[in-house]
């Protein structure tokens, strides 16, 4: 089983990790970061000091040209910093967003590399995926924001070091008072944020549900059923209820923010009264010079705003760090899973080999029972096996286990005597040509959809299209095998019918020409003629290969060397069709029932 990894890294560790990602994409990152920190500090300190310097210079009645010179000097530094700020902001943003974009790409690539089970089974580890994508795509985009907040934290720390130090010289208790008030208002904001997060989670659920309703009522099939069965009214009621709930949650948040703002304003009033009051008393008593008072007055204001920036950056950094942990954990677990140190074997035999299931059990995460229980099965090299059973018997699960898409919870699967979990997955998959129940038609040409590879062997494409019974339909298309499929990308793309899609999947599997051919309900969408053609061509298609034909329709598997009858994850009967009929057990009974409905007593040869 894949272990869920939930390591919690510290804020600094996560900043460092993200910074490494950023630096991988650009050389100037550190220089830009340092410039940004200095610019922000200079701006905050410059604006605080300038008025006091002006007052001081004027008070000393210094020579006017000297006054002008000092003022021009300070103003130039501030102007330069002001000019540098947007420039630095734009380039810096570009730099740190590159780290995030690199991760987005990495995330996309990982999605197709990771163990299939993570995506296929929602309960398995879907939350990790959802959370990781939240860290990358979500509203605060942790991967990007953590660097920006890190920079803001450093620049405000630097500024505060100077300001608090100078205020402590003026009055020792001033920094303590400002810090205390900042911490109290920060605590208020933290509570509001927590409340907002709770409401946001509720709203996310509401949005998920609303999205489902939108999807269901706009998707072709949903929209059709919705109209014909007059379900639009009920849908509307559900959507309205969700909308109202969302609105109420939003109102709660707004009211909470209002209460927070009123409280903070009152706190600020009290803090200002105490600090400024004390400074005014001092100047009245003559303890302060005018310029000293001006500086202290400004320094208190800047300190308050810088403290709030610092605390806000720190809180956001913690939030970013939590989100980034999810991305980081996902990547590291994936790396471990992809690297899979035990998967080193790349030497797959070219010819079919026996496939052996040894005491294999599999339980879906969260399920209270095994879907496959202690399965022992040998599929000899070159055998034509059929796996049959009622819906939900476990046929697809067995296939996914054989393909290494799912890992057994107990037991092992061997290919040519070698445990399949020692093979590098990418190589292992080359050994199989599967046709799944659900067709995957991509926005690419017919030929590309068949070859599923960067290079396309056109004569081979034509040959397999013919074998799969699709060549006539393709020949009628405007551009033959070059015709684009689906209209996601090409406006003139062709939409294949269900049966045509199934034939295309068969052509894709035949094109791969792998030692094992797996056909999971390959004829479910085919008309009777097309179905019978497939059966007739089956021997030719599977010549020299091992094949596994999966179906819940017993009549479709009579040509198999051996039929495995599956019930609740157990093989309860095996043998050839006639033997199983003669045994008159579960298989024979199901066959009789199906025959009555499908009227399919005939063997493929007779069809
Ligand atoms: N992702 C999943 N999570 C939990 N249980 C699952 C999951 N997928 C399948 N199952 C359960 O495992 C059992 C076997 O399913 P499987 O798809 O292997 O059956 P099948 O024989 O291929 O059925 P069908 O003929 O309908 O395709 C079913 O009871 C199903 O509910």
């Amino acid at each position: 089983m894949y272990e869920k990894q939930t390591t919690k890294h510290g804020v600094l560790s996560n900043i460092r990790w993200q910074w490494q990602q950023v630096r991988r994409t650009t050389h100037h990152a550190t220089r830009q970061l340092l410039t940004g920190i200095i610019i922000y500090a200079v701006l905050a300190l410059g604006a605080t000091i300038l008025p006091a310097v002006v007052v001081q210079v004027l008070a000393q009645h210094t020579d006017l040209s000297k006054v002008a010179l000092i003022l021009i000097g300070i103003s130039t530094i501030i102007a330069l910093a002001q000019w540098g700020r947007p420039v630095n902001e734009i380039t810096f943003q570009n730099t740190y967003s590159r780290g995030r974009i690199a991760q987005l790409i990495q995330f996309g690539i990982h999605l197709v590399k990771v163990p299939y089970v993570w995506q296929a089974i929602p309960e398995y580890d879907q939350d990790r995926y959802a959370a990781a994508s939240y860290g990358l795509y979500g509203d605060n985009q942790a991967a990007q924001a953590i660097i920006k907040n890190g920079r803001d934290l450093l620049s405000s720390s630097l500024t505060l070091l100077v300001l608090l130090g100078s205020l402590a010289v003026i009055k020792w208790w001033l920094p303590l008072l400002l810090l205390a008030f900042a911490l109290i208002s920060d605590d208020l904001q933290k509570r509001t944020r927590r409340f907002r997060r709770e409401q946001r989670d509720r709203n996310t659920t509401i949005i998920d549900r609303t999205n489902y309703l939108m999807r269901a009522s706009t998707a072709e099939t949903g929209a059709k059923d919705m109209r014909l069965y007059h379900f639009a009214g009920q849908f509307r009621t559900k959507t309205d209820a969700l909308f109202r709930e969302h609105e109420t949650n939003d109102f709660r948040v707004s009211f909470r923010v209002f209460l927070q703002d009123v409280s903070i304003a009152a706190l600020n009033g009290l803090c200002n009264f105490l600090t400024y009051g004390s400074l005014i008393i001092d100047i009245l008593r003559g303890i302060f010079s005018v310029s000293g008072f001006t500086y202290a007055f400004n320094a208190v204001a800047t300190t308050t705003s810088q403290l709030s920036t610092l605390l806000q950056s720190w809180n956001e950094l913690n939030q970013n760090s939590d989100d980034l942990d999810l991305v980081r954990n996902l990547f590291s677990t994936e790396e471990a899973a992809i690297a899979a140190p035990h998967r080193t074997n790349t030497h797959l035999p070219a010819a079919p080999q026996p496939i052996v299931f040894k005491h294999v059990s599999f339980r879906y995460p969260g399920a209270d029972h095994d879907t496959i229980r202690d399965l022992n099965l040998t599929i000899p090299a070159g055998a034509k096996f059929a796996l049959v059973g009622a819906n939900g018997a476990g046929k697809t699960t067995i296939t996914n286990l054989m393909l290494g898409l799912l890992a057994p919870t107990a037991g092992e699967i061997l290919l040519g005597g070698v445990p399949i979990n020692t093979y590098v997955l990418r190589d292992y998959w080359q050994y199989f040509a599967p046709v799944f129940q659900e067709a995957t038609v991509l926005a690419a040409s017919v030929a590309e959809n068949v070859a599923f590879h960067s290079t396309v062997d056109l004569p081979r494409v034509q040959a397999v299209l013919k074998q799969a019974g699709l060549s006539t339909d393709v020949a009628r298309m405007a551009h033959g095998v070059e015709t684009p499929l689906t209209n996601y990308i090409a406006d003139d793309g062709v939409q294949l019918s269900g049966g045509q899609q199934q034939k295309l999947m068969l052509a894709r599997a035949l094109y791969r020409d792998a030692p094992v051919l797996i056909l999971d309900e390959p004829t479910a969408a085919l008309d009777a003629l097309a179905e019978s053609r497939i059966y007739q061509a089956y021997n030719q298609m599977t010549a020299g290969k091992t094949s596994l034909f999966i179906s819940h329709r017993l009549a479709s598997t009579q040509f198999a060397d051996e039929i495995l009858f599956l019930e609740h994850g157990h093989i309860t009967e095996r043998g050839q069709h006639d033997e199983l009929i003669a045994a008159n057990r579960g298989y024979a009974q199901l066959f009789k029932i199906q025959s009555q409905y499908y009227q399919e007593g005939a063997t493929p040869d007779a069809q």
Side-chain angles (χ1 to χ4, degrees):
M1 288 295 247
Y2 305 99
E3 285 300 322
K4 192 163 176 168
Q5 189 180 333
T6 48
T7 315
K8 191 158 166 53
H9 307 90
V11 175
L12 291 181
S13 162
N14 275 335
I15 293 181
R16 206 178 318 119
W17 183 77
Q18 182 61 23
W19 191 241
Q20 278 164 2
Q21 313 280 324
V22 171
R23 292 201 41 200
R24 256 185 230 153
T25 63
T26 178
H27 305 304
H28 318 296
T30 314
R31 206 182 323 144
Q32 277 169 354
L33 175 69
L34 290 177
T35 321
I37 292 170
I38 292 168
I39 285 176
Y40 278 88
V42 165
L43 276 175
L45 291 173
T48 314
I49 294 167
L50 185 65
V53 173
V54 174
V55 172
Q56 174 71 16
V57 170
L58 289 176
Q60 287 173 351
H61 305 292
T62 326
D63 168 14
L64 262 184
S65 60
K66 238 183 187 174
V67 174
L69 215 63
I70 294 171
L71 288 184
I72 288 171
I74 297 180
S75 306
T76 311
I77 294 172
I78 295 179
L80 277 176
Q82 258 162 354
W83 170 80
R85 183 168 57 177
V87 176
N88 182 271
E89 186 66 30
I90 291 165
T91 48
F92 186 66
Q93 192 158 342
N94 179 22
T95 303
Y96 61 64
S97 67
R98 274 199 224 177
R100 176 176 154 261
I101 290 164
Q103 282 166 336
L104 282 176
I105 295 167
Q106 203 181 341
F107 185 59
I109 295 169
H110 274 222
L111 283 178
V112 292
K113 283 187 173 177
V114 294
Y116 168 79
V117 66
W118 290 355
Q119 294 152 25
I121 305 171
E123 302 80 359
Y124 213 102
D125 217 1
Q126 205 76 330
D127 53 340
R128 191 216 304 261
Y129 266 94
S133 29
Y134 181 75
L136 288 166
Y137 301 96
D139 55 1
N140 71 21
Q141 299 180 346
Q144 195 166 317
I146 197 164
I147 303 295
K148 180 187 167 297
N149 286 321
R151 179 199 63 187
D152 291 351
L153 185 89
L154 286 173
S155 75
S156 49
S157 304
L158 187 68
T159 315
L160 281 170
L161 208 67
V162 177
L163 290 173
L164 288 173
S166 62
L167 283 177
V169 173
I170 295 168
K171 275 184 192 299
W172 66 268
W173 52 266
L174 263 181
L176 296 180
L177 185 78
L178 292 174
L179 268 172
F181 273 97
L183 287 173
I184 296 171
S185 68
D186 176 61
D187 188 57
L188 283 174
Q189 289 179 47
K190 239 187 225 157
R191 285 165 200 263
T192 310
R193 266 199 298 276
R194 205 176 309 136
F195 183 75
R196 191 200 288 257
R197 250 199 318 274
E198 284 162 15
Q199 301 305 316
R200 185 200 63 194
D201 291 346
R202 282 201 193 122
N203 279 349
T204 310
T205 314
I206 294 174
I207 289 168
D208 276 352
R209 288 176 186 163
T210 315
N211 281 345
Y212 161 72
L213 293 175
M214 302 299 277
R215 271 199 318 275
S217 50
T218 51
E220 203 190 321
T221 48
K224 224 186 317 184
D225 285 19
M226 205 81 72
R227 282 168 179 74
L228 291 170
Y229 288 94
H230 303 295
F231 203 63
Q234 281 91 323
F235 245 54
R236 174 98 205 232
T237 316
K238 283 180 202 291
T239 320
D240 283 349
L242 288 170
F243 181 71
R244 270 196 301 278
E245 209 181 321
H246 196 291
E247 226 178 14
T248 313
N249 287 343
D250 280 352
F251 175 75
R252 279 201 200 112
V253 173
S254 308
F255 188 65
R256 187 73 183 235
V257 171
F258 166 75
L259 288 181
Q260 171 207 282
D261 289 348
V262 169
S263 315
I264 290 180
L267 275 172
N268 281 347
L270 181 61
C271 181
N272 289 342
F273 177 76
L274 294 174
T275 48
Y276 295 136
S278 125
L279 292 176
I280 290 169
I281 289 172
D282 280 357
I283 198 168
L284 290 178
R285 280 193 191 152
I287 300 173
F288 257 153
S289 65
V290 180
S291 63
F293 174 80
T294 313
Y295 173 76
F297 203 89
N298 274 330
V300 166
T302 316
T303 304
T304 311
S305 78
Q306 288 292 317
L307 273 173
S308 119
T309 308
L310 180 104
L311 289 168
Q312 193 178 339
S313 310
W314 177 245
N315 287 330
E316 284 182 15
L317 271 175
N318 275 293
Q319 176 65 43
N320 298 153
S321 179
D322 282 351
D323 288 351
L324 206 61
D325 261 343
L326 303 164
V327 182
R328 198 173 164 183
N329 281 329
L330 180 81
F331 281 176
S332 56
T333 320
E334 284 184 357
E335 272 152 23
I338 295 162
H342 55 285
R343 289 188 178 274
T344 50
N345 198 344
T346 54
H347 300 296
L348 277 143
Q353 298 288 320
I355 299 170
V356 179
F357 280 63
K358 258 197 198 168
H359 299 290
V360 170
S361 297
F362 180 78
R363 177 179 297 207
Y364 283 100
D368 58 0
H369 66 278
D370 288 347
T371 292
I372 304 298
R373 260 176 302 144
D374 196 27
L375 177 70
N376 287 298
L377 169 67
T378 300
I379 304 176
K384 291 185 199 342
F385 260 50
L387 196 56
V388 297
N391 291 132
K395 304 180 292 291
T396 304
T397 307
I398 290 181
T399 317
N400 285 340
L401 284 165
M402 187 193 299
L403 286 167
L405 293 173
L406 298 177
T409 24
E412 64 174 350
I413 305 170
L414 308 161
L415 172 71
V418 179
I420 65 167
N421 64 2
T422 61
Y423 286 110
V424 173
L425 269 177
R426 205 185 148 82
D427 295 300
Y428 180 69
W429 287 331
Q430 293 299 319
Y431 200 76
F432 299 90
V435 176
F436 298 113
Q437 283 183 32
E438 62 288 350
T440 314
V441 181
L442 298 187
S445 71
V446 174
E448 284 167 327
N449 262 291
V450 171
F452 243 41
H453 199 268
S454 48
T455 52
V456 179
D457 178 346
L458 279 178
R460 201 160 125 207
V461 167
Q462 298 282 14
V464 293
L465 283 173
K466 192 158 193 274
Q467 258 188 308
L470 194 59
S471 51
T472 319
D473 291 354
V474 173
R476 279 203 210 105
M477 293 177 186
H479 310 285
V481 289
E482 299 302 338
T483 308
L485 295 181
T486 79
N487 43 19
Y488 295 116
I489 293 179
D491 290 338
D492 59 345
V494 169
Q495 200 69 38
L496 296 181
S497 75
Q500 287 170 330
Q501 290 184 18
Q502 204 153 34
K503 290 177 187 174
L504 184 79
M505 297 304 104
L506 181 60
R508 183 183 293 163
L510 295 174
Y511 183 93
R512 179 174 261 194
D513 195 21
V516 182
L517 183 67
I518 297 177
L519 304 173
D520 192 350
E521 303 278 6
T523 59
L526 300 189
D527 60 50
L529 196 63
E531 189 176 358
S532 108
R533 282 206 188 109
I534 297 285
Y535 295 149
Q536 280 161 17
Y538 193 72
N539 276 341
Q540 186 204 342
M541 285 192 285
T542 57
K545 299 179 196 300
T546 304
S547 71
L548 191 67
F549 192 99
I550 300 157
S551 183
H552 65 276
R553 293 174 56 182
L554 310 190
S556 64
T557 56
Q558 295 168 28
F559 48 79
D561 298 340
E562 186 161 10
I563 297 169
L564 307 174
F565 183 62
L566 202 66
E567 282 181 299
H568 310 297
H570 264 311
I571 296 172
T572 49
E573 291 170 63
R574 58 192 299 171
Q576 289 195 326
H577 175 72
D578 295 342
E579 292 165 8
L580 296 180
I581 292 293
N584 200 21
R585 290 173 53 210
Y587 177 91
Q589 279 159 19
L590 200 58
F591 182 78
K592 274 179 213 147
I593 295 169
Q594 289 189 355
S595 301
Q596 282 169 12
Y597 288 101
Y598 296 128
Q599 307 245 314
E600 279 182 353
T603 60
D605 290 339
Q607 281 177 341

